[in-house]
Amino acid sequence: MRTTVTLDDDVAAAVDRLLHDRSIGVSQAIDELVRARLGSMPARTKFRQRGLRLGLGIDVRNVAETLDLLEGPRAR
């Protein structure tokens, strides 16, 4: 993928250090910096929605019906 990016001064300095230390190209230096950051990120846990029984006895799957029941038909 080819794109144009604007780097902050500190990021550009890190890229320059890699260019001179390892004799690699700009794209490879940026790739390595990004991969290093991605590798240090914690693994995401899968989101799980939890439900609680509130003892209301109301079916809340239909929002309009639930609002009518709880607030009355004039609340719309």
Side-chain angles (χ1 to χ4, degrees):
M1 177 176 87
R2 181 176 282 247
T3 190
T4 301
V5 295
T6 303
L7 302 175
D8 289 338
D9 292 338
D10 58 332
V11 177
V15 170
D16 285 339
R17 278 193 301 276
L18 273 177
L19 292 175
H20 292 93
D21 293 347
R22 309 234 346 256
S23 298
I24 58 177
V26 173
S27 294
Q28 188 176 354
I30 292 172
D31 284 345
E32 288 187 19
L33 289 171
V34 171
R35 285 190 184 106
R37 173 65 177 124
L38 290 174
S40 69
M41 295 175 71
R44 289 186 172 188
T45 58
K46 187 174 181 178
F47 175 79
R48 183 170 169 238
Q49 180 69 42
R50 287 181 257 148
L52 299 172
R53 297 222 179 261
L54 300 176
L56 296 175
I58 299 171
D59 183 3
V60 294
R61 290 178 286 191
N62 184 322
V63 174
E65 274 182 22
T66 304
L67 289 174
D68 281 348
L69 180 65
L70 294 173
E71 299 175 353
R74 286 186 262 152
R76 284 192 206 186

Short mmCIF file of all heavy atoms in Angstrom, two decimals:
data_model
loop_
_atom_site.label_atom_id
_atom_site.label_comp_id
_atom_site.label_asym_id
_atom_site.label_seq_id
_atom_site.Cartn_x
_atom_site.Cartn_y
_atom_site.Cartn_z
N MET A 1 0.85 -1.17 0.00
CA MET A 1 0.00 0.00 0.00
C MET A 1 0.90 1.24 0.00
O MET A 1 1.86 1.32 0.74
CB MET A 1 -0.88 -0.02 1.26
CG MET A 1 -1.74 1.20 1.38
SD MET A 1 -2.86 1.13 2.79
CE MET A 1 -1.82 1.80 4.06
N ARG A 2 0.55 2.18 -0.79
CA ARG A 2 1.32 3.42 -0.86
C ARG A 2 0.45 4.54 -0.34
O ARG A 2 -0.70 4.69 -0.73
CB ARG A 2 1.72 3.69 -2.30
CG ARG A 2 2.54 4.95 -2.49
CD ARG A 2 2.95 5.05 -3.94
NE ARG A 2 4.06 4.14 -4.16
CZ ARG A 2 5.29 4.54 -4.45
NH1 ARG A 2 5.53 5.83 -4.57
NH2 ARG A 2 6.25 3.69 -4.63
N THR A 3 1.02 5.32 0.58
CA THR A 3 0.28 6.44 1.15
C THR A 3 1.27 7.50 1.62
O THR A 3 2.46 7.23 1.74
CB THR A 3 -0.63 5.98 2.31
OG1 THR A 3 -1.50 7.04 2.68
CG2 THR A 3 0.17 5.52 3.50
N THR A 4 0.77 8.68 1.89
CA THR A 4 1.60 9.75 2.42
C THR A 4 1.23 9.97 3.87
O THR A 4 0.05 10.03 4.21
CB THR A 4 1.35 11.06 1.64
OG1 THR A 4 1.65 10.83 0.26
CG2 THR A 4 2.21 12.19 2.17
N VAL A 5 2.24 10.06 4.73
CA VAL A 5 1.98 10.30 6.15
C VAL A 5 2.82 11.48 6.63
O VAL A 5 3.87 11.77 6.07
CB VAL A 5 2.31 9.06 7.02
CG1 VAL A 5 1.40 7.90 6.69
CG2 VAL A 5 3.75 8.65 6.87
N THR A 6 2.34 12.13 7.66
CA THR A 6 3.08 13.19 8.31
C THR A 6 3.48 12.67 9.69
O THR A 6 2.61 12.27 10.47
CB THR A 6 2.22 14.46 8.45
OG1 THR A 6 1.79 14.85 7.14
CG2 THR A 6 3.01 15.58 9.09
N LEU A 7 4.77 12.67 9.97
CA LEU A 7 5.27 12.13 11.23
C LEU A 7 5.62 13.26 12.19
O LEU A 7 6.17 14.28 11.78
CB LEU A 7 6.51 11.27 10.99
CG LEU A 7 6.35 10.09 10.03
CD1 LEU A 7 7.70 9.42 9.81
CD2 LEU A 7 5.34 9.11 10.54
N ASP A 8 5.33 13.06 13.46
CA ASP A 8 5.79 14.00 14.48
C ASP A 8 7.30 13.91 14.55
O ASP A 8 7.92 12.92 14.12
CB ASP A 8 5.18 13.66 15.84
CG ASP A 8 3.69 13.97 15.92
OD1 ASP A 8 3.23 14.81 15.12
OD2 ASP A 8 3.01 13.38 16.78
N ASP A 9 7.91 14.95 15.10
CA ASP A 9 9.38 15.02 15.15
C ASP A 9 10.00 13.83 15.86
O ASP A 9 11.01 13.29 15.41
CB ASP A 9 9.83 16.32 15.83
CG ASP A 9 9.49 17.55 15.00
OD1 ASP A 9 9.31 17.40 13.77
OD2 ASP A 9 9.42 18.64 15.58
N ASP A 10 9.42 13.39 16.98
CA ASP A 10 10.00 12.27 17.72
C ASP A 10 9.90 10.97 16.94
O ASP A 10 10.81 10.14 16.96
CB ASP A 10 9.37 12.13 19.11
CG ASP A 10 7.86 11.92 19.05
OD1 ASP A 10 7.21 12.39 18.09
OD2 ASP A 10 7.32 11.32 19.99
N VAL A 11 8.81 10.79 16.20
CA VAL A 11 8.65 9.58 15.38
C VAL A 11 9.62 9.61 14.21
O VAL A 11 10.26 8.60 13.89
CB VAL A 11 7.20 9.43 14.90
CG1 VAL A 11 7.04 8.22 13.99
CG2 VAL A 11 6.25 9.34 16.09
N ALA A 12 9.75 10.77 13.58
CA ALA A 12 10.69 10.91 12.46
C ALA A 12 12.12 10.64 12.94
O ALA A 12 12.91 10.01 12.22
CB ALA A 12 10.59 12.30 11.85
N ALA A 13 12.45 11.07 14.14
CA ALA A 13 13.79 10.81 14.69
C ALA A 13 14.00 9.32 14.91
O ALA A 13 15.09 8.79 14.64
CB ALA A 13 13.97 11.58 16.00
N ALA A 14 12.98 8.62 15.38
CA ALA A 14 13.09 7.17 15.56
C ALA A 14 13.28 6.47 14.22
O ALA A 14 14.09 5.54 14.11
CB ALA A 14 11.85 6.64 16.28
N VAL A 15 12.57 6.93 13.20
CA VAL A 15 12.74 6.35 11.86
C VAL A 15 14.16 6.62 11.37
O VAL A 15 14.82 5.71 10.85
CB VAL A 15 11.69 6.94 10.88
CG1 VAL A 15 12.00 6.54 9.45
CG2 VAL A 15 10.28 6.49 11.27
N ASP A 16 14.66 7.84 11.54
CA ASP A 16 16.02 8.18 11.12
C ASP A 16 17.06 7.31 11.82
O ASP A 16 18.04 6.87 11.21
CB ASP A 16 16.33 9.66 11.38
CG ASP A 16 15.65 10.57 10.37
OD1 ASP A 16 15.28 10.09 9.27
OD2 ASP A 16 15.49 11.77 10.70
N ARG A 17 16.85 7.07 13.12
CA ARG A 17 17.80 6.21 13.87
C ARG A 17 17.84 4.81 13.27
O ARG A 17 18.91 4.23 13.09
CB ARG A 17 17.41 6.14 15.35
CG ARG A 17 17.90 7.32 16.16
CD ARG A 17 17.78 7.07 17.66
NE ARG A 17 16.42 6.79 18.09
CZ ARG A 17 15.50 7.72 18.38
NH1 ARG A 17 15.81 9.00 18.27
NH2 ARG A 17 14.31 7.38 18.78
N LEU A 18 16.65 4.27 12.95
CA LEU A 18 16.62 2.94 12.35
C LEU A 18 17.28 2.94 10.98
O LEU A 18 17.98 1.99 10.62
CB LEU A 18 15.18 2.44 12.21
CG LEU A 18 14.58 1.72 13.42
CD1 LEU A 18 13.13 1.35 13.15
CD2 LEU A 18 15.37 0.49 13.77
N LEU A 19 17.05 4.00 10.19
CA LEU A 19 17.65 4.09 8.87
C LEU A 19 19.18 4.02 8.95
O LEU A 19 19.82 3.30 8.18
CB LEU A 19 17.26 5.40 8.19
CG LEU A 19 15.79 5.58 7.78
CD1 LEU A 19 15.56 6.98 7.24
CD2 LEU A 19 15.39 4.54 6.77
N HIS A 20 19.75 4.77 9.88
CA HIS A 20 21.21 4.82 9.99
C HIS A 20 21.79 3.61 10.71
O HIS A 20 22.84 3.10 10.33
CB HIS A 20 21.63 6.12 10.69
CG HIS A 20 21.34 7.33 9.86
ND1 HIS A 20 20.17 8.04 9.98
CD2 HIS A 20 22.05 7.93 8.89
CE1 HIS A 20 20.17 9.03 9.11
NE2 HIS A 20 21.31 9.00 8.43
N ASP A 21 21.10 3.13 11.74
CA ASP A 21 21.62 1.98 12.51
C ASP A 21 21.57 0.68 11.72
O ASP A 21 22.46 -0.15 11.83
CB ASP A 21 20.82 1.79 13.81
CG ASP A 21 21.03 2.93 14.80
OD1 ASP A 21 21.96 3.74 14.58
OD2 ASP A 21 20.27 3.00 15.78
N ARG A 22 20.53 0.51 10.93
CA ARG A 22 20.32 -0.79 10.27
C ARG A 22 20.44 -0.74 8.76
O ARG A 22 20.28 -1.75 8.10
CB ARG A 22 18.94 -1.31 10.66
CG ARG A 22 18.72 -1.30 12.17
CD ARG A 22 18.30 -2.57 12.84
NE ARG A 22 17.84 -3.63 12.04
CZ ARG A 22 16.55 -3.98 11.91
NH1 ARG A 22 15.61 -3.31 12.54
NH2 ARG A 22 16.23 -5.00 11.17
N SER A 23 20.65 0.44 8.20
CA SER A 23 20.75 0.60 6.74
C SER A 23 19.54 0.00 6.02
O SER A 23 19.67 -0.83 5.13
CB SER A 23 22.05 -0.04 6.22
OG SER A 23 23.16 0.61 6.79
N ILE A 24 18.35 0.42 6.45
CA ILE A 24 17.12 -0.06 5.81
C ILE A 24 16.39 1.14 5.24
O ILE A 24 16.75 2.29 5.49
CB ILE A 24 16.22 -0.81 6.83
CG1 ILE A 24 15.85 0.09 8.02
CG2 ILE A 24 16.89 -2.09 7.31
CD1 ILE A 24 14.91 -0.55 9.03
N GLY A 25 15.34 0.89 4.48
CA GLY A 25 14.56 1.96 3.87
C GLY A 25 13.53 2.53 4.84
O GLY A 25 13.25 1.97 5.89
N VAL A 26 12.95 3.65 4.44
CA VAL A 26 11.97 4.34 5.27
C VAL A 26 10.75 3.44 5.52
O VAL A 26 10.28 3.32 6.66
CB VAL A 26 11.53 5.67 4.61
CG1 VAL A 26 10.38 6.30 5.37
CG2 VAL A 26 12.70 6.63 4.52
N SER A 27 10.23 2.81 4.49
CA SER A 27 9.05 1.96 4.64
C SER A 27 9.31 0.82 5.62
O SER A 27 8.48 0.53 6.49
CB SER A 27 8.62 1.38 3.29
OG SER A 27 8.16 2.41 2.45
N GLN A 28 10.46 0.19 5.49
CA GLN A 28 10.79 -0.92 6.38
C GLN A 28 10.95 -0.42 7.82
O GLN A 28 10.51 -1.08 8.77
CB GLN A 28 12.05 -1.63 5.92
CG GLN A 28 12.31 -2.91 6.69
CD GLN A 28 13.52 -3.67 6.17
OE1 GLN A 28 14.11 -3.29 5.16
NE2 GLN A 28 13.89 -4.74 6.84
N ALA A 29 11.55 0.74 8.00
CA ALA A 29 11.72 1.31 9.35
C ALA A 29 10.36 1.59 9.99
O ALA A 29 10.14 1.25 11.16
CB ALA A 29 12.56 2.57 9.28
N ILE A 30 9.46 2.20 9.23
CA ILE A 30 8.12 2.49 9.76
C ILE A 30 7.38 1.19 10.06
O ILE A 30 6.75 1.06 11.11
CB ILE A 30 7.33 3.39 8.80
CG1 ILE A 30 7.98 4.78 8.75
CG2 ILE A 30 5.87 3.49 9.20
CD1 ILE A 30 7.42 5.70 7.70
N ASP A 31 7.48 0.20 9.16
CA ASP A 31 6.86 -1.10 9.40
C ASP A 31 7.35 -1.71 10.72
O ASP A 31 6.55 -2.21 11.53
CB ASP A 31 7.16 -2.08 8.26
CG ASP A 31 6.35 -1.81 7.01
OD1 ASP A 31 5.36 -1.06 7.10
OD2 ASP A 31 6.72 -2.36 5.96
N GLU A 32 8.64 -1.66 10.95
CA GLU A 32 9.20 -2.26 12.16
C GLU A 32 8.73 -1.52 13.42
O GLU A 32 8.42 -2.15 14.43
CB GLU A 32 10.73 -2.29 12.09
CG GLU A 32 11.22 -3.32 11.11
CD GLU A 32 12.73 -3.50 11.14
OE1 GLU A 32 13.36 -3.09 12.14
OE2 GLU A 32 13.26 -4.05 10.17
N LEU A 33 8.68 -0.20 13.36
CA LEU A 33 8.21 0.56 14.51
C LEU A 33 6.74 0.26 14.82
O LEU A 33 6.35 0.09 15.98
CB LEU A 33 8.40 2.06 14.28
CG LEU A 33 9.85 2.54 14.31
CD1 LEU A 33 9.93 3.99 13.84
CD2 LEU A 33 10.43 2.40 15.70
N VAL A 34 5.92 0.19 13.79
CA VAL A 34 4.50 -0.11 13.99
C VAL A 34 4.32 -1.52 14.52
O VAL A 34 3.56 -1.76 15.47
CB VAL A 34 3.71 0.10 12.68
CG1 VAL A 34 2.29 -0.42 12.81
CG2 VAL A 34 3.70 1.57 12.28
N ARG A 35 5.03 -2.49 13.94
CA ARG A 35 4.92 -3.87 14.41
C ARG A 35 5.38 -4.02 15.86
O ARG A 35 4.80 -4.79 16.63
CB ARG A 35 5.71 -4.80 13.51
CG ARG A 35 5.03 -5.06 12.19
CD ARG A 35 5.71 -6.18 11.40
NE ARG A 35 5.07 -6.32 10.13
CZ ARG A 35 5.59 -5.91 8.98
NH1 ARG A 35 6.79 -5.35 8.94
NH2 ARG A 35 4.92 -6.07 7.85
N ALA A 36 6.43 -3.29 16.23
CA ALA A 36 6.91 -3.34 17.61
C ALA A 36 5.82 -2.85 18.56
O ALA A 36 5.61 -3.43 19.63
CB ALA A 36 8.17 -2.51 17.76
N ARG A 37 5.13 -1.79 18.18
CA ARG A 37 4.05 -1.27 19.03
C ARG A 37 2.88 -2.23 19.07
O ARG A 37 2.30 -2.47 20.12
CB ARG A 37 3.60 0.09 18.50
CG ARG A 37 2.39 0.65 19.19
CD ARG A 37 2.68 0.93 20.66
NE ARG A 37 1.52 1.53 21.27
CZ ARG A 37 0.90 1.05 22.34
NH1 ARG A 37 1.37 -0.01 22.94
NH2 ARG A 37 -0.15 1.65 22.83
N LEU A 38 2.52 -2.80 17.92
CA LEU A 38 1.40 -3.74 17.89
C LEU A 38 1.70 -4.97 18.75
O LEU A 38 0.82 -5.51 19.40
CB LEU A 38 1.09 -4.17 16.45
CG LEU A 38 0.48 -3.10 15.56
CD1 LEU A 38 0.37 -3.61 14.13
CD2 LEU A 38 -0.89 -2.68 16.08
N GLY A 39 2.95 -5.40 18.74
CA GLY A 39 3.34 -6.56 19.54
C GLY A 39 3.31 -6.30 21.03
O GLY A 39 3.18 -7.23 21.83
N SER A 40 3.40 -5.04 21.44
CA SER A 40 3.42 -4.73 22.86
C SER A 40 2.02 -4.44 23.41
O SER A 40 1.87 -4.21 24.61
CB SER A 40 4.33 -3.52 23.12
OG SER A 40 3.76 -2.35 22.58
N MET A 41 1.02 -4.47 22.55
CA MET A 41 -0.34 -4.19 23.01
C MET A 41 -0.92 -5.44 23.67
O MET A 41 -0.71 -6.55 23.19
CB MET A 41 -1.22 -3.76 21.83
CG MET A 41 -0.79 -2.44 21.22
SD MET A 41 -1.73 -2.00 19.75
CE MET A 41 -3.29 -1.60 20.48
N PRO A 42 -1.66 -5.27 24.76
CA PRO A 42 -2.26 -6.43 25.41
C PRO A 42 -3.34 -7.05 24.52
O PRO A 42 -4.00 -6.35 23.74
CB PRO A 42 -2.87 -5.86 26.69
CG PRO A 42 -3.06 -4.41 26.42
CD PRO A 42 -1.99 -4.02 25.44
N ALA A 43 -3.50 -8.34 24.64
CA ALA A 43 -4.52 -9.03 23.86
C ALA A 43 -5.90 -8.59 24.32
O ALA A 43 -6.14 -8.40 25.51
CB ALA A 43 -4.38 -10.54 24.01
N ARG A 44 -6.79 -8.42 23.39
CA ARG A 44 -8.15 -8.01 23.73
C ARG A 44 -8.94 -9.22 24.23
O ARG A 44 -8.81 -10.31 23.70
CB ARG A 44 -8.87 -7.44 22.52
CG ARG A 44 -8.37 -6.11 22.11
CD ARG A 44 -9.23 -5.56 21.01
NE ARG A 44 -8.88 -4.20 20.71
CZ ARG A 44 -9.57 -3.44 19.90
NH1 ARG A 44 -10.63 -3.90 19.31
NH2 ARG A 44 -9.18 -2.20 19.67
N THR A 45 -9.76 -8.97 25.21
CA THR A 45 -10.66 -10.03 25.66
C THR A 45 -11.98 -9.87 24.92
O THR A 45 -12.38 -8.75 24.59
CB THR A 45 -10.90 -9.95 27.18
OG1 THR A 45 -11.44 -8.67 27.49
CG2 THR A 45 -9.61 -10.17 27.95
N LYS A 46 -12.62 -10.98 24.67
CA LYS A 46 -13.87 -10.95 23.93
C LYS A 46 -14.96 -10.32 24.80
O LYS A 46 -15.10 -10.64 25.98
CB LYS A 46 -14.27 -12.37 23.54
CG LYS A 46 -15.47 -12.43 22.64
CD LYS A 46 -15.74 -13.83 22.17
CE LYS A 46 -16.94 -13.84 21.25
NZ LYS A 46 -17.21 -15.17 20.75
N PHE A 47 -15.72 -9.39 24.21
CA PHE A 47 -16.80 -8.74 24.93
C PHE A 47 -17.92 -9.73 25.18
O PHE A 47 -18.30 -10.49 24.29
CB PHE A 47 -17.33 -7.54 24.15
CG PHE A 47 -18.52 -6.89 24.81
CD1 PHE A 47 -18.34 -6.05 25.88
CD2 PHE A 47 -19.80 -7.15 24.36
CE1 PHE A 47 -19.43 -5.45 26.50
CE2 PHE A 47 -20.89 -6.57 24.96
CZ PHE A 47 -20.71 -5.71 26.04
N ARG A 48 -18.44 -9.73 26.38
CA ARG A 48 -19.55 -10.60 26.71
C ARG A 48 -20.58 -9.79 27.48
O ARG A 48 -20.29 -9.24 28.54
CB ARG A 48 -19.08 -11.77 27.58
CG ARG A 48 -20.18 -12.73 27.89
CD ARG A 48 -19.65 -14.00 28.53
NE ARG A 48 -20.78 -14.75 29.03
CZ ARG A 48 -20.95 -15.11 30.28
NH1 ARG A 48 -20.01 -14.85 31.16
NH2 ARG A 48 -22.02 -15.75 30.65
N GLN A 49 -21.77 -9.69 26.92
CA GLN A 49 -22.86 -8.97 27.57
C GLN A 49 -23.44 -9.84 28.67
O GLN A 49 -23.78 -10.99 28.43
CB GLN A 49 -23.94 -8.61 26.55
CG GLN A 49 -25.12 -7.87 27.13
CD GLN A 49 -24.75 -6.47 27.55
OE1 GLN A 49 -24.02 -5.79 26.84
NE2 GLN A 49 -25.24 -6.02 28.67
N ARG A 50 -23.53 -9.29 29.85
CA ARG A 50 -24.12 -10.03 30.97
C ARG A 50 -25.49 -9.46 31.26
O ARG A 50 -25.70 -8.26 31.20
CB ARG A 50 -23.23 -9.91 32.20
CG ARG A 50 -21.97 -10.73 32.06
CD ARG A 50 -21.12 -10.61 33.30
NE ARG A 50 -20.03 -9.69 32.92
CZ ARG A 50 -19.44 -8.85 33.72
NH1 ARG A 50 -19.78 -8.78 34.96
NH2 ARG A 50 -18.49 -8.06 33.29
N GLY A 51 -26.40 -10.33 31.59
CA GLY A 51 -27.73 -9.90 31.95
C GLY A 51 -28.03 -10.28 33.40
O GLY A 51 -27.45 -11.21 33.94
N LEU A 52 -28.92 -9.54 34.00
CA LEU A 52 -29.32 -9.82 35.37
C LEU A 52 -30.83 -9.93 35.43
O LEU A 52 -31.55 -9.20 34.76
CB LEU A 52 -28.88 -8.68 36.30
CG LEU A 52 -27.40 -8.41 36.41
CD1 LEU A 52 -27.16 -7.14 37.22
CD2 LEU A 52 -26.69 -9.58 37.06
N ARG A 53 -31.31 -10.84 36.24
CA ARG A 53 -32.75 -10.96 36.45
C ARG A 53 -33.16 -9.89 37.46
O ARG A 53 -32.67 -9.86 38.58
CB ARG A 53 -33.11 -12.34 36.96
CG ARG A 53 -32.77 -13.42 35.97
CD ARG A 53 -33.89 -14.43 35.93
NE ARG A 53 -33.58 -15.46 34.96
CZ ARG A 53 -34.07 -15.48 33.73
NH1 ARG A 53 -34.87 -14.53 33.34
NH2 ARG A 53 -33.77 -16.44 32.91
N LEU A 54 -34.04 -9.00 37.03
CA LEU A 54 -34.47 -7.92 37.89
C LEU A 54 -35.82 -8.19 38.54
O LEU A 54 -36.28 -7.41 39.36
CB LEU A 54 -34.53 -6.60 37.10
CG LEU A 54 -33.21 -6.16 36.47
CD1 LEU A 54 -33.42 -4.91 35.63
CD2 LEU A 54 -32.18 -5.90 37.56
N GLY A 55 -36.45 -9.28 38.13
CA GLY A 55 -37.72 -9.62 38.72
C GLY A 55 -38.87 -8.75 38.25
O GLY A 55 -39.92 -8.71 38.88
N LEU A 56 -38.71 -8.05 37.15
CA LEU A 56 -39.77 -7.15 36.68
C LEU A 56 -40.90 -7.88 35.97
O LEU A 56 -42.02 -7.42 35.95
CB LEU A 56 -39.19 -6.09 35.73
CG LEU A 56 -38.19 -5.12 36.34
CD1 LEU A 56 -37.62 -4.22 35.26
CD2 LEU A 56 -38.87 -4.28 37.41
N GLY A 57 -40.59 -8.98 35.33
CA GLY A 57 -41.61 -9.70 34.58
C GLY A 57 -42.06 -8.95 33.34
O GLY A 57 -43.18 -9.11 32.88
N ILE A 58 -41.21 -8.09 32.80
CA ILE A 58 -41.53 -7.31 31.60
C ILE A 58 -40.62 -7.79 30.48
O ILE A 58 -39.42 -7.94 30.66
CB ILE A 58 -41.28 -5.81 31.84
CG1 ILE A 58 -42.16 -5.30 32.97
CG2 ILE A 58 -41.52 -5.02 30.57
CD1 ILE A 58 -41.83 -3.89 33.39
N ASP A 59 -41.21 -8.05 29.33
CA ASP A 59 -40.43 -8.43 28.16
C ASP A 59 -39.92 -7.15 27.50
O ASP A 59 -40.70 -6.37 26.96
CB ASP A 59 -41.31 -9.22 27.18
CG ASP A 59 -40.54 -9.71 25.98
OD1 ASP A 59 -39.31 -9.50 25.91
OD2 ASP A 59 -41.17 -10.32 25.09
N VAL A 60 -38.62 -6.91 27.59
CA VAL A 60 -38.06 -5.66 27.09
C VAL A 60 -37.46 -5.80 25.69
O VAL A 60 -36.76 -4.92 25.22
CB VAL A 60 -37.00 -5.09 28.06
CG1 VAL A 60 -37.64 -4.69 29.36
CG2 VAL A 60 -35.89 -6.08 28.28
N ARG A 61 -37.75 -6.88 25.00
CA ARG A 61 -37.21 -7.05 23.65
C ARG A 61 -37.84 -6.06 22.67
O ARG A 61 -37.22 -5.66 21.70
CB ARG A 61 -37.41 -8.48 23.17
CG ARG A 61 -36.50 -9.46 23.92
CD ARG A 61 -36.74 -10.85 23.49
NE ARG A 61 -38.02 -11.27 24.07
CZ ARG A 61 -38.47 -12.51 24.07
NH1 ARG A 61 -37.78 -13.46 23.49
NH2 ARG A 61 -39.62 -12.81 24.63
N ASN A 62 -39.07 -5.66 22.89
CA ASN A 62 -39.71 -4.66 22.04
C ASN A 62 -39.69 -3.33 22.80
O ASN A 62 -40.44 -3.13 23.76
CB ASN A 62 -41.15 -5.09 21.71
CG ASN A 62 -41.82 -4.13 20.74
OD1 ASN A 62 -41.61 -2.92 20.81
ND2 ASN A 62 -42.62 -4.68 19.85
N VAL A 63 -38.84 -2.42 22.37
CA VAL A 63 -38.62 -1.17 23.09
C VAL A 63 -39.89 -0.33 23.16
O VAL A 63 -40.23 0.21 24.21
CB VAL A 63 -37.46 -0.38 22.46
CG1 VAL A 63 -37.31 0.98 23.10
CG2 VAL A 63 -36.18 -1.17 22.54
N ALA A 64 -40.60 -0.21 22.06
CA ALA A 64 -41.81 0.63 22.02
C ALA A 64 -42.86 0.11 23.00
O ALA A 64 -43.46 0.88 23.75
CB ALA A 64 -42.37 0.70 20.61
N GLU A 65 -43.08 -1.20 23.01
CA GLU A 65 -44.06 -1.79 23.94
C GLU A 65 -43.63 -1.57 25.39
O GLU A 65 -44.46 -1.26 26.24
CB GLU A 65 -44.19 -3.29 23.69
CG GLU A 65 -45.18 -3.67 22.64
CD GLU A 65 -45.30 -5.20 22.51
OE1 GLU A 65 -44.94 -5.92 23.46
OE2 GLU A 65 -45.73 -5.63 21.45
N THR A 66 -42.35 -1.74 25.65
CA THR A 66 -41.84 -1.57 27.01
C THR A 66 -42.02 -0.14 27.48
O THR A 66 -42.45 0.11 28.62
CB THR A 66 -40.36 -1.98 27.08
OG1 THR A 66 -40.23 -3.32 26.62
CG2 THR A 66 -39.83 -1.88 28.49
N LEU A 67 -41.71 0.84 26.62
CA LEU A 67 -41.89 2.25 26.99
C LEU A 67 -43.36 2.56 27.23
O LEU A 67 -43.71 3.28 28.18
CB LEU A 67 -41.31 3.17 25.92
CG LEU A 67 -39.80 3.19 25.83
CD1 LEU A 67 -39.35 4.03 24.64
CD2 LEU A 67 -39.18 3.68 27.11
N ASP A 68 -44.26 2.02 26.40
CA ASP A 68 -45.69 2.22 26.61
C ASP A 68 -46.12 1.65 27.95
O ASP A 68 -46.88 2.26 28.69
CB ASP A 68 -46.51 1.55 25.50
CG ASP A 68 -46.55 2.36 24.21
OD1 ASP A 68 -46.13 3.54 24.25
OD2 ASP A 68 -46.97 1.81 23.19
N LEU A 69 -45.60 0.48 28.29
CA LEU A 69 -45.95 -0.17 29.54
C LEU A 69 -45.43 0.61 30.74
O LEU A 69 -46.13 0.81 31.73
CB LEU A 69 -45.41 -1.61 29.56
CG LEU A 69 -45.70 -2.44 30.80
CD1 LEU A 69 -47.19 -2.67 30.93
CD2 LEU A 69 -44.98 -3.77 30.71
N LEU A 70 -44.18 1.07 30.66
CA LEU A 70 -43.56 1.73 31.80
C LEU A 70 -43.95 3.20 31.93
O LEU A 70 -44.11 3.71 33.04
CB LEU A 70 -42.03 1.61 31.71
CG LEU A 70 -41.46 0.20 31.84
CD1 LEU A 70 -39.96 0.22 31.57
CD2 LEU A 70 -41.75 -0.38 33.21
N GLU A 71 -44.07 3.90 30.79
CA GLU A 71 -44.28 5.34 30.83
C GLU A 71 -45.67 5.76 30.36
O GLU A 71 -46.05 6.92 30.51
CB GLU A 71 -43.22 6.05 29.98
CG GLU A 71 -41.81 5.80 30.49
CD GLU A 71 -40.76 6.41 29.59
OE1 GLU A 71 -41.10 6.90 28.50
OE2 GLU A 71 -39.58 6.38 29.99
N GLY A 72 -46.38 4.86 29.74
CA GLY A 72 -47.71 5.18 29.23
C GLY A 72 -47.63 5.62 27.78
O GLY A 72 -46.60 6.12 27.32
N PRO A 73 -48.70 5.47 27.03
CA PRO A 73 -48.69 5.79 25.60
C PRO A 73 -48.52 7.29 25.33
O PRO A 73 -48.09 7.67 24.26
CB PRO A 73 -50.05 5.30 25.10
CG PRO A 73 -50.89 5.12 26.30
CD PRO A 73 -49.98 4.90 27.47
N ARG A 74 -48.83 8.16 26.29
CA ARG A 74 -48.68 9.61 26.07
C ARG A 74 -47.24 10.08 26.17
O ARG A 74 -46.94 11.22 25.87
CB ARG A 74 -49.57 10.37 27.05
CG ARG A 74 -51.04 10.30 26.67
CD ARG A 74 -51.85 11.18 27.55
NE ARG A 74 -52.42 10.32 28.60
CZ ARG A 74 -52.73 10.71 29.79
NH1 ARG A 74 -52.55 11.95 30.17
NH2 ARG A 74 -53.25 9.88 30.66
N ALA A 75 -46.34 9.22 26.60
CA ALA A 75 -44.94 9.63 26.79
C ALA A 75 -44.20 9.78 25.46
O ALA A 75 -43.13 10.34 25.42
CB ALA A 75 -44.22 8.60 27.66
N ARG A 76 -44.78 9.29 24.39
CA ARG A 76 -44.11 9.36 23.09
C ARG A 76 -44.06 10.73 22.58
O ARG A 76 -44.54 11.60 22.31
CB ARG A 76 -44.77 8.46 22.07
CG ARG A 76 -44.43 7.03 22.28
CD ARG A 76 -44.88 6.27 21.09
NE ARG A 76 -45.16 4.89 21.46
CZ ARG A 76 -45.46 3.97 20.62
NH1 ARG A 76 -45.56 4.24 19.36
NH2 ARG A 76 -45.69 2.76 21.01
#
